Amino acid sequence: MLESMTGYGSAEAVDNGVRVFVELRSVNNRFAEVSVKLPRQLLAFELEVRELVRSTFQRGKISASIQVQADQEVDFPLRVNPLKVKACRELLDDVRMAAGIDAPVSLEHVLRFSEIFETGNTVLDNTEWLWSFVKKLLQDAMHKLKEMRRKEGEELSLDFTARIAQIERTLAEISSASQGNLQAARKKLASKAELIAGQDIAYSRDRLEMELVLAADKLDITEEFTRFSSHNKFFLEELNNDESGTGRKLNFLLQEQLREANTIASKSQSAEISQKIVHVKEELEKIREQLQNIE
């Protein structure tokens, strides 16, 4: 099935007092390009995030944003060391007595000593647990992004199928019209040959007949129709191909379809056929525009 390169996926959950939100956005890009925005606790896992995303998506510019937030239930990480507070207070008292100062020691004086505070570890500092939690949500978000890209790919597949069917109908009309034009061209060439034969002009009849055959052959577009129909068949088959690289294969087939359309147009000496070929090329150009969004 086709997969678009445009999509969105997100996942959010709370565990152990930690809320994590993962968001993925994907847009068109020729190759797989992944940009990552991580909180400081997970900066060491940036490469792993990139590799996870690249292992799932072959093409597209994908932006991954991961937000980590502690709920109110998480303990404040700053702690007071009572022993150091007591030691600082005694030290200040010694300084006050040595300096002969009668003013008492206040809380403001003690707070000037940063040593009385200690940083405790919280659940956010447990990076291994946090990464395991985030990784699961990242996989959920990638799954949702994949589903959205596939749904859009299904819609594009229906559009491609309808356009190929329209092209086939137009080609059938061109084929029918070309048979009459080919016969008319042959009669016209034969009439000119008879005119030459009625004049006193030296010529080789065998050579003239050969030239008539070659001229008529240049107007014959049977081979182009056969190849065009073959490309259309392979194009429709590729729409249901689950292998990667479908977008590139479809682009190649589209180039071949355009080549055949241009060849038919160059061989045509009929305004009716030329007009119908214009319609065919218009459909192919619309397909080309949509193919830029296929992985």
Side-chain angles (χ1 to χ4, degrees):
M1 298 298 292
L2 293 189
E3 183 173 322
S4 168
M5 285 188 284
T6 303
Y8 175 85
S10 66
E12 184 177 12
V14 178
D15 187 19
N16 203 16
V18 176
R19 182 182 300 277
V20 173
F21 177 66
V22 178
E23 184 180 52
L24 298 175
R25 298 176 182 270
S26 176
V27 296
N28 297 358
N29 199 54
R30 187 176 179 183
F31 305 103
E33 181 180 334
V34 182
S35 60
V36 181
K37 184 178 180 181
L38 296 173
R40 61 174 182 80
Q41 295 93 340
L42 297 173
L43 290 177
F45 297 94
E46 180 177 348
L47 181 60
E48 293 187 51
V49 173
R50 292 181 185 275
E51 291 303 318
L52 272 175
V53 176
R54 283 201 180 100
S55 67
T56 304
F57 304 102
Q58 305 302 315
R59 294 177 69 191
K61 184 176 182 180
I62 303 172
S63 302
S65 175
I66 299 176
Q67 301 176 23
V68 176
Q69 180 180 354
D71 277 4
Q72 295 180 352
E73 298 176 1
V74 177
D75 294 335
F76 191 63
L78 208 58
R79 300 283 186 274
V80 175
N81 189 317
L83 295 178
K84 291 184 178 181
V85 172
K86 184 178 180 180
C88 289
R89 170 62 188 270
E90 292 175 352
L91 179 63
L92 289 172
D93 281 336
D94 291 342
V95 172
R96 181 178 62 81
M97 293 177 61
I101 300 174
D102 295 331
V105 175
S106 67
L107 178 62
E108 181 182 356
H109 299 144
V110 177
L111 291 176
R112 294 178 181 275
F113 291 85
S114 60
E115 291 82 357
I116 66 175
F117 298 106
E118 295 178 348
T119 302
N121 292 328
T122 68
V123 66
L124 292 178
D125 297 310
N126 187 347
T127 54
E128 291 300 326
W129 171 85
L130 184 60
W131 166 240
S132 177
F133 181 29
V134 168
K135 184 177 180 180
K136 181 179 181 302
L137 291 178
L138 176 60
Q139 291 170 333
D140 290 343
M142 289 193 298
H143 176 73
K144 292 178 181 178
L145 174 59
K146 191 82 170 177
E147 286 299 310
M148 184 173 181
R149 286 171 44 136
R150 282 179 175 172
K151 287 181 180 179
E152 186 170 336
E154 290 175 4
E155 294 297 324
L156 290 175
S157 180
L158 293 175
D159 181 74
F160 292 154
T161 301
R163 295 190 185 281
I164 293 296
Q166 178 59 48
I167 289 173
E168 284 287 328
R169 288 191 292 269
T170 306
L171 287 176
E173 295 173 0
I174 294 174
S175 178
S176 177
S178 67
Q179 295 301 319
N181 289 333
L182 183 58
Q183 294 298 328
R186 284 173 175 169
K187 289 181 179 179
K188 185 177 181 180
L189 290 172
S191 176
K192 289 183 178 181
E194 291 297 329
L195 180 62
I196 293 175
Q199 299 177 4
D200 295 331
I201 300 176
Y203 71 96
S204 169
R205 186 171 185 84
D206 291 339
R207 178 65 178 176
L208 179 59
E209 289 179 352
M210 183 180 295
E211 291 298 329
L212 288 174
V213 171
L214 292 175
D217 186 61
K218 290 180 181 180
L219 300 175
D220 189 1
I221 53 179
T222 303
E223 291 184 10
E224 286 75 17
F225 269 96
T226 301
R227 287 194 294 267
F228 208 139
S229 296
S230 176
H231 297 327
N232 290 340
K233 176 185 175 183
F234 290 140
F235 192 99
L236 293 175
E237 290 177 353
E238 194 63 33
L239 294 180
N240 298 314
N241 191 350
D242 291 330
E243 296 179 3
S244 61
T246 297
R248 293 184 177 91
K249 295 177 184 177
L250 291 176
N251 268 300
F252 169 76
L253 290 171
L254 179 65
Q255 293 298 327
E256 296 303 309
Q257 289 167 311
L258 284 168
R259 189 194 309 276
E260 302 304 337
N262 287 329
T263 303
I264 293 173
S266 65
K267 284 189 171 185
S268 172
Q269 295 184 359
S270 165
E272 178 187 3
I273 292 179
S274 297
Q275 185 177 14
K276 291 183 182 298
I277 280 294
V278 169
H279 292 321
V280 169
K281 294 175 72 173
E282 286 176 351
E283 292 295 326
L284 291 175
E285 285 300 327
K286 291 175 182 177
I287 292 175
R288 185 209 291 273
E289 292 176 5
Q290 296 284 20
L291 276 181
Q292 305 309 311
N293 195 35
I294 296 298
E295 183 177 74

PDB file of all heavy atoms in Angstrom, residues 5 23-27 29 31-36 53-54 56-64 145 149 295:
ATOM      1  N   MET A   5       4.004  10.996   2.828  1.00  0.00           N
ATOM      2  CA  MET A   5       5.061  11.504   3.710  1.00  0.00           C
ATOM      3  C   MET A   5       4.539  12.576   4.655  1.00  0.00           C
ATOM      4  O   MET A   5       5.284  13.109   5.472  1.00  0.00           O
ATOM      5  CB  MET A   5       6.219  12.068   2.877  1.00  0.00           C
ATOM      6  CG  MET A   5       7.086  11.002   2.240  1.00  0.00           C
ATOM      7  SD  MET A   5       8.571  11.678   1.474  1.00  0.00           S
ATOM      8  CE  MET A   5       7.903  12.390  -0.017  1.00  0.00           C
ATOM      9  N   GLU A  23       5.558  14.107  20.339  1.00  0.00           N
ATOM     10  CA  GLU A  23       4.868  14.624  19.157  1.00  0.00           C
ATOM     11  C   GLU A  23       5.750  14.438  17.929  1.00  0.00           C
ATOM     12  O   GLU A  23       6.931  14.787  17.946  1.00  0.00           O
ATOM     13  CB  GLU A  23       4.535  16.099  19.349  1.00  0.00           C
ATOM     14  CG  GLU A  23       3.738  16.722  18.211  1.00  0.00           C
ATOM     15  CD  GLU A  23       3.435  18.189  18.465  1.00  0.00           C
ATOM     16  OE1 GLU A  23       4.394  18.941  18.764  1.00  0.00           O
ATOM     17  OE2 GLU A  23       2.267  18.579  18.375  1.00  0.00           O
ATOM     18  N   LEU A  24       5.178  13.884  16.855  1.00  0.00           N
ATOM     19  CA  LEU A  24       5.886  13.685  15.596  1.00  0.00           C
ATOM     20  C   LEU A  24       5.135  14.364  14.465  1.00  0.00           C
ATOM     21  O   LEU A  24       3.917  14.190  14.334  1.00  0.00           O
ATOM     22  CB  LEU A  24       6.025  12.191  15.281  1.00  0.00           C
ATOM     23  CG  LEU A  24       6.816  11.330  16.265  1.00  0.00           C
ATOM     24  CD1 LEU A  24       6.751   9.874  15.855  1.00  0.00           C
ATOM     25  CD2 LEU A  24       8.261  11.787  16.349  1.00  0.00           C
ATOM     26  N   ARG A  25       5.845  15.126  13.660  1.00  0.00           N
ATOM     27  CA  ARG A  25       5.268  15.776  12.485  1.00  0.00           C
ATOM     28  C   ARG A  25       6.107  15.401  11.273  1.00  0.00           C
ATOM     29  O   ARG A  25       7.341  15.412  11.335  1.00  0.00           O
ATOM     30  CB  ARG A  25       5.247  17.303  12.646  1.00  0.00           C
ATOM     31  CG  ARG A  25       4.381  17.797  13.812  1.00  0.00           C
ATOM     32  CD  ARG A  25       4.501  19.305  13.970  1.00  0.00           C
ATOM     33  NE  ARG A  25       3.717  19.791  15.095  1.00  0.00           N
ATOM     34  CZ  ARG A  25       2.455  20.183  15.016  1.00  0.00           C
ATOM     35  NH1 ARG A  25       1.845  20.155  13.842  1.00  0.00           N
ATOM     36  NH2 ARG A  25       1.813  20.616  16.072  1.00  0.00           N
ATOM     37  N   SER A  26       5.428  15.088  10.174  1.00  0.00           N
ATOM     38  CA  SER A  26       6.129  14.637   8.968  1.00  0.00           C
ATOM     39  C   SER A  26       5.639  15.413   7.752  1.00  0.00           C
ATOM     40  O   SER A  26       4.433  15.585   7.564  1.00  0.00           O
ATOM     41  CB  SER A  26       5.896  13.135   8.760  1.00  0.00           C
ATOM     42  OG  SER A  26       6.475  12.701   7.560  1.00  0.00           O
ATOM     43  N   VAL A  27       6.583  15.873   6.938  1.00  0.00           N
ATOM     44  CA  VAL A  27       6.268  16.569   5.688  1.00  0.00           C
ATOM     45  C   VAL A  27       7.143  15.991   4.578  1.00  0.00           C
ATOM     46  O   VAL A  27       8.014  15.158   4.815  1.00  0.00           O
ATOM     47  CB  VAL A  27       6.489  18.093   5.806  1.00  0.00           C
ATOM     48  CG1 VAL A  27       5.534  18.709   6.820  1.00  0.00           C
ATOM     49  CG2 VAL A  27       7.941  18.397   6.203  1.00  0.00           C
ATOM     50  N   ASN A  29       9.874  15.226   1.844  1.00  0.00           N
ATOM     51  CA  ASN A  29      11.312  15.419   1.706  1.00  0.00           C
ATOM     52  C   ASN A  29      11.865  14.283   0.851  1.00  0.00           C
ATOM     53  O   ASN A  29      11.354  13.154   0.901  1.00  0.00           O
ATOM     54  CB  ASN A  29      12.020  15.427   3.066  1.00  0.00           C
ATOM     55  CG  ASN A  29      13.387  16.074   2.990  1.00  0.00           C
ATOM     56  OD1 ASN A  29      13.530  17.204   2.532  1.00  0.00           O
ATOM     57  ND2 ASN A  29      14.400  15.371   3.443  1.00  0.00           N
ATOM     58  N   PHE A  31      14.651  12.674   1.058  1.00  0.00           N
ATOM     59  CA  PHE A  31      15.278  11.630   1.859  1.00  0.00           C
ATOM     60  C   PHE A  31      14.681  11.627   3.265  1.00  0.00           C
ATOM     61  O   PHE A  31      13.803  12.433   3.566  1.00  0.00           O
ATOM     62  CB  PHE A  31      16.794  11.842   1.924  1.00  0.00           C
ATOM     63  CG  PHE A  31      17.460  11.943   0.581  1.00  0.00           C
ATOM     64  CD1 PHE A  31      17.850  13.175   0.079  1.00  0.00           C
ATOM     65  CD2 PHE A  31      17.677  10.805  -0.182  1.00  0.00           C
ATOM     66  CE1 PHE A  31      18.460  13.264  -1.163  1.00  0.00           C
ATOM     67  CE2 PHE A  31      18.280  10.887  -1.426  1.00  0.00           C
ATOM     68  CZ  PHE A  31      18.671  12.124  -1.913  1.00  0.00           C
ATOM     69  N   ALA A  32      15.174  10.732   4.109  1.00  0.00           N
ATOM     70  CA  ALA A  32      14.732  10.692   5.504  1.00  0.00           C
ATOM     71  C   ALA A  32      15.566  11.692   6.317  1.00  0.00           C
ATOM     72  O   ALA A  32      16.780  11.554   6.430  1.00  0.00           O
ATOM     73  CB  ALA A  32      14.892   9.286   6.074  1.00  0.00           C
ATOM     74  N   GLU A  33      14.905  12.704   6.825  1.00  0.00           N
ATOM     75  CA  GLU A  33      15.583  13.738   7.623  1.00  0.00           C
ATOM     76  C   GLU A  33      14.838  13.874   8.950  1.00  0.00           C
ATOM     77  O   GLU A  33      13.648  14.177   8.969  1.00  0.00           O
ATOM     78  CB  GLU A  33      15.596  15.062   6.868  1.00  0.00           C
ATOM     79  CG  GLU A  33      16.295  16.183   7.619  1.00  0.00           C
ATOM     80  CD  GLU A  33      16.289  17.481   6.838  1.00  0.00           C
ATOM     81  OE1 GLU A  33      16.207  17.429   5.592  1.00  0.00           O
ATOM     82  OE2 GLU A  33      16.359  18.551   7.478  1.00  0.00           O
ATOM     83  N   VAL A  34      15.553  13.644  10.046  1.00  0.00           N
ATOM     84  CA  VAL A  34      14.924  13.636  11.367  1.00  0.00           C
ATOM     85  C   VAL A  34      15.549  14.719  12.238  1.00  0.00           C
ATOM     86  O   VAL A  34      16.766  14.770  12.408  1.00  0.00           O
ATOM     87  CB  VAL A  34      15.094  12.268  12.063  1.00  0.00           C
ATOM     88  CG1 VAL A  34      14.377  12.267  13.413  1.00  0.00           C
ATOM     89  CG2 VAL A  34      14.561  11.149  11.178  1.00  0.00           C
ATOM     90  N   SER A  35      14.697  15.601  12.774  1.00  0.00           N
ATOM     91  CA  SER A  35      15.151  16.596  13.743  1.00  0.00           C
ATOM     92  C   SER A  35      14.529  16.262  15.090  1.00  0.00           C
ATOM     93  O   SER A  35      13.370  15.858  15.171  1.00  0.00           O
ATOM     94  CB  SER A  35      14.751  18.009  13.310  1.00  0.00           C
ATOM     95  OG  SER A  35      13.340  18.126  13.203  1.00  0.00           O
ATOM     96  N   VAL A  36      15.306  16.416  16.158  1.00  0.00           N
ATOM     97  CA  VAL A  36      14.879  15.973  17.484  1.00  0.00           C
ATOM     98  C   VAL A  36      15.012  17.102  18.488  1.00  0.00           C
ATOM     99  O   VAL A  36      16.030  17.806  18.522  1.00  0.00           O
ATOM    100  CB  VAL A  36      15.715  14.761  17.959  1.00  0.00           C
ATOM    101  CG1 VAL A  36      15.249  14.301  19.336  1.00  0.00           C
ATOM    102  CG2 VAL A  36      15.605  13.620  16.958  1.00  0.00           C
ATOM    103  N   VAL A  53      13.327   6.410  14.633  1.00  0.00           N
ATOM    104  CA  VAL A  53      12.453   7.024  13.625  1.00  0.00           C
ATOM    105  C   VAL A  53      12.878   6.587  12.226  1.00  0.00           C
ATOM    106  O   VAL A  53      12.044   6.230  11.388  1.00  0.00           O
ATOM    107  CB  VAL A  53      12.482   8.564  13.748  1.00  0.00           C
ATOM    108  CG1 VAL A  53      11.659   9.197  12.629  1.00  0.00           C
ATOM    109  CG2 VAL A  53      11.932   8.992  15.105  1.00  0.00           C
ATOM    110  N   ARG A  54      14.176   6.579  11.952  1.00  0.00           N
ATOM    111  CA  ARG A  54      14.666   6.201  10.620  1.00  0.00           C
ATOM    112  C   ARG A  54      14.387   4.731  10.313  1.00  0.00           C
ATOM    113  O   ARG A  54      14.244   4.359   9.150  1.00  0.00           O
ATOM    114  CB  ARG A  54      16.177   6.468  10.525  1.00  0.00           C
ATOM    115  CG  ARG A  54      16.535   7.935  10.334  1.00  0.00           C
ATOM    116  CD  ARG A  54      17.929   8.069   9.747  1.00  0.00           C
ATOM    117  NE  ARG A  54      18.297   9.450   9.563  1.00  0.00           N
ATOM    118  CZ  ARG A  54      19.070  10.144  10.390  1.00  0.00           C
ATOM    119  NH1 ARG A  54      19.532   9.555  11.484  1.00  0.00           N
ATOM    120  NH2 ARG A  54      19.370  11.401  10.159  1.00  0.00           N
ATOM    121  N   THR A  56      11.753   3.208  10.894  1.00  0.00           N
ATOM    122  CA  THR A  56      10.333   3.054  10.564  1.00  0.00           C
ATOM    123  C   THR A  56       9.952   3.807   9.303  1.00  0.00           C
ATOM    124  O   THR A  56       9.081   3.365   8.547  1.00  0.00           O
ATOM    125  CB  THR A  56       9.459   3.542  11.739  1.00  0.00           C
ATOM    126  OG1 THR A  56       9.835   2.829  12.922  1.00  0.00           O
ATOM    127  CG2 THR A  56       7.984   3.315  11.475  1.00  0.00           C
ATOM    128  N   PHE A  57      10.598   4.938   9.045  1.00  0.00           N
ATOM    129  CA  PHE A  57      10.223   5.784   7.907  1.00  0.00           C
ATOM    130  C   PHE A  57      11.409   5.944   6.964  1.00  0.00           C
ATOM    131  O   PHE A  57      12.502   6.316   7.398  1.00  0.00           O
ATOM    132  CB  PHE A  57       9.747   7.149   8.404  1.00  0.00           C
ATOM    133  CG  PHE A  57       8.611   7.061   9.390  1.00  0.00           C
ATOM    134  CD1 PHE A  57       8.843   7.205  10.750  1.00  0.00           C
ATOM    135  CD2 PHE A  57       7.315   6.816   8.956  1.00  0.00           C
ATOM    136  CE1 PHE A  57       7.804   7.109  11.664  1.00  0.00           C
ATOM    137  CE2 PHE A  57       6.271   6.719   9.860  1.00  0.00           C
ATOM    138  CZ  PHE A  57       6.517   6.865  11.224  1.00  0.00           C
ATOM    139  N   GLN A  58      11.167   5.682   5.683  1.00  0.00           N
ATOM    140  CA  GLN A  58      12.235   5.725   4.685  1.00  0.00           C
ATOM    141  C   GLN A  58      12.441   7.112   4.094  1.00  0.00           C
ATOM    142  O   GLN A  58      13.552   7.464   3.711  1.00  0.00           O
ATOM    143  CB  GLN A  58      11.916   4.744   3.548  1.00  0.00           C
ATOM    144  CG  GLN A  58      11.666   3.315   4.011  1.00  0.00           C
ATOM    145  CD  GLN A  58      12.839   2.738   4.776  1.00  0.00           C
ATOM    146  OE1 GLN A  58      13.993   2.889   4.364  1.00  0.00           O
ATOM    147  NE2 GLN A  58      12.564   2.090   5.893  1.00  0.00           N
ATOM    148  N   ARG A  59      11.359   7.885   3.996  1.00  0.00           N
ATOM    149  CA  ARG A  59      11.458   9.223   3.412  1.00  0.00           C
ATOM    150  C   ARG A  59      10.586  10.181   4.210  1.00  0.00           C
ATOM    151  O   ARG A  59       9.663   9.789   4.917  1.00  0.00           O
ATOM    152  CB  ARG A  59      11.003   9.219   1.946  1.00  0.00           C
ATOM    153  CG  ARG A  59      11.875   8.429   1.002  1.00  0.00           C
ATOM    154  CD  ARG A  59      11.288   8.429  -0.393  1.00  0.00           C
ATOM    155  NE  ARG A  59      11.350   9.756  -1.009  1.00  0.00           N
ATOM    156  CZ  ARG A  59      10.707  10.062  -2.132  1.00  0.00           C
ATOM    157  NH1 ARG A  59       9.935   9.181  -2.726  1.00  0.00           N
ATOM    158  NH2 ARG A  59      10.820  11.272  -2.648  1.00  0.00           N
ATOM    159  N   GLY A  60      10.912  11.477   4.089  1.00  0.00           N
ATOM    160  CA  GLY A  60      10.133  12.500   4.771  1.00  0.00           C
ATOM    161  C   GLY A  60      10.978  13.275   5.767  1.00  0.00           C
ATOM    162  O   GLY A  60      11.958  12.767   6.309  1.00  0.00           O
ATOM    163  N   LYS A  61      10.587  14.525   5.975  1.00  0.00           N
ATOM    164  CA  LYS A  61      11.239  15.355   6.987  1.00  0.00           C
ATOM    165  C   LYS A  61      10.409  15.256   8.258  1.00  0.00           C
ATOM    166  O   LYS A  61       9.294  15.781   8.330  1.00  0.00           O
ATOM    167  CB  LYS A  61      11.335  16.800   6.508  1.00  0.00           C
ATOM    168  CG  LYS A  61      12.098  17.708   7.465  1.00  0.00           C
ATOM    169  CD  LYS A  61      12.245  19.109   6.892  1.00  0.00           C
ATOM    170  CE  LYS A  61      13.046  19.994   7.823  1.00  0.00           C
ATOM    171  NZ  LYS A  61      13.192  21.369   7.276  1.00  0.00           N
ATOM    172  N   ILE A  62      10.943  14.585   9.265  1.00  0.00           N
ATOM    173  CA  ILE A  62      10.193  14.274  10.479  1.00  0.00           C
ATOM    174  C   ILE A  62      10.774  15.046  11.663  1.00  0.00           C
ATOM    175  O   ILE A  62      11.974  14.979  11.930  1.00  0.00           O
ATOM    176  CB  ILE A  62      10.216  12.769  10.767  1.00  0.00           C
ATOM    177  CG1 ILE A  62       9.650  12.008   9.567  1.00  0.00           C
ATOM    178  CG2 ILE A  62       9.423  12.443  12.027  1.00  0.00           C
ATOM    179  CD1 ILE A  62       9.792  10.510   9.659  1.00  0.00           C
ATOM    180  N   SER A  63       9.900  15.772  12.349  1.00  0.00           N
ATOM    181  CA  SER A  63      10.294  16.518  13.550  1.00  0.00           C
ATOM    182  C   SER A  63       9.753  15.784  14.769  1.00  0.00           C
ATOM    183  O   SER A  63       8.554  15.538  14.870  1.00  0.00           O
ATOM    184  CB  SER A  63       9.735  17.946  13.499  1.00  0.00           C
ATOM    185  OG  SER A  63      10.190  18.629  12.348  1.00  0.00           O
ATOM    186  N   ALA A  64      10.652  15.437  15.678  1.00  0.00           N
ATOM    187  CA  ALA A  64      10.267  14.739  16.909  1.00  0.00           C
ATOM    188  C   ALA A  64      10.488  15.659  18.101  1.00  0.00           C
ATOM    189  O   ALA A  64      11.587  16.181  18.301  1.00  0.00           O
ATOM    190  CB  ALA A  64      11.081  13.456  17.069  1.00  0.00           C
ATOM    191  N   LEU A 145       1.601   7.939  13.608  1.00  0.00           N
ATOM    192  CA  LEU A 145       2.067   8.663  12.426  1.00  0.00           C
ATOM    193  C   LEU A 145       2.033   7.756  11.200  1.00  0.00           C
ATOM    194  O   LEU A 145       1.613   8.167  10.110  1.00  0.00           O
ATOM    195  CB  LEU A 145       3.483   9.189  12.652  1.00  0.00           C
ATOM    196  CG  LEU A 145       4.169   9.859  11.463  1.00  0.00           C
ATOM    197  CD1 LEU A 145       3.377  11.056  10.970  1.00  0.00           C
ATOM    198  CD2 LEU A 145       5.603  10.273  11.814  1.00  0.00           C
ATOM    199  N   ARG A 149      -0.159   8.341   7.769  1.00  0.00           N
ATOM    200  CA  ARG A 149       0.493   8.387   6.462  1.00  0.00           C
ATOM    201  C   ARG A 149      -0.078   7.335   5.521  1.00  0.00           C
ATOM    202  O   ARG A 149      -0.218   7.564   4.317  1.00  0.00           O
ATOM    203  CB  ARG A 149       2.007   8.200   6.637  1.00  0.00           C
ATOM    204  CG  ARG A 149       2.673   9.438   7.204  1.00  0.00           C
ATOM    205  CD  ARG A 149       4.132   9.268   7.608  1.00  0.00           C
ATOM    206  NE  ARG A 149       4.966   8.557   6.686  1.00  0.00           N
ATOM    207  CZ  ARG A 149       6.198   8.934   6.335  1.00  0.00           C
ATOM    208  NH1 ARG A 149       6.691  10.076   6.804  1.00  0.00           N
ATOM    209  NH2 ARG A 149       6.935   8.209   5.559  1.00  0.00           N
ATOM    210  N   GLU A 295       6.035   8.090  -0.105  1.00  0.00           N
ATOM    211  CA  GLU A 295       7.319   7.583   0.420  1.00  0.00           C
ATOM    212  C   GLU A 295       7.958   6.644  -0.587  1.00  0.00           C
ATOM    213  O   GLU A 295       7.300   5.781  -1.147  1.00  0.00           O
ATOM    214  CB  GLU A 295       7.092   6.842   1.734  1.00  0.00           C
ATOM    215  CG  GLU A 295       8.405   6.351   2.356  1.00  0.00           C
ATOM    216  CD  GLU A 295       8.201   5.671   3.684  1.00  0.00           C
ATOM    217  OE1 GLU A 295       7.714   4.548   3.696  1.00  0.00           O
ATOM    218  OE2 GLU A 295       8.489   6.289   4.715  1.00  0.00           O
TER     219      GLU A 295
END
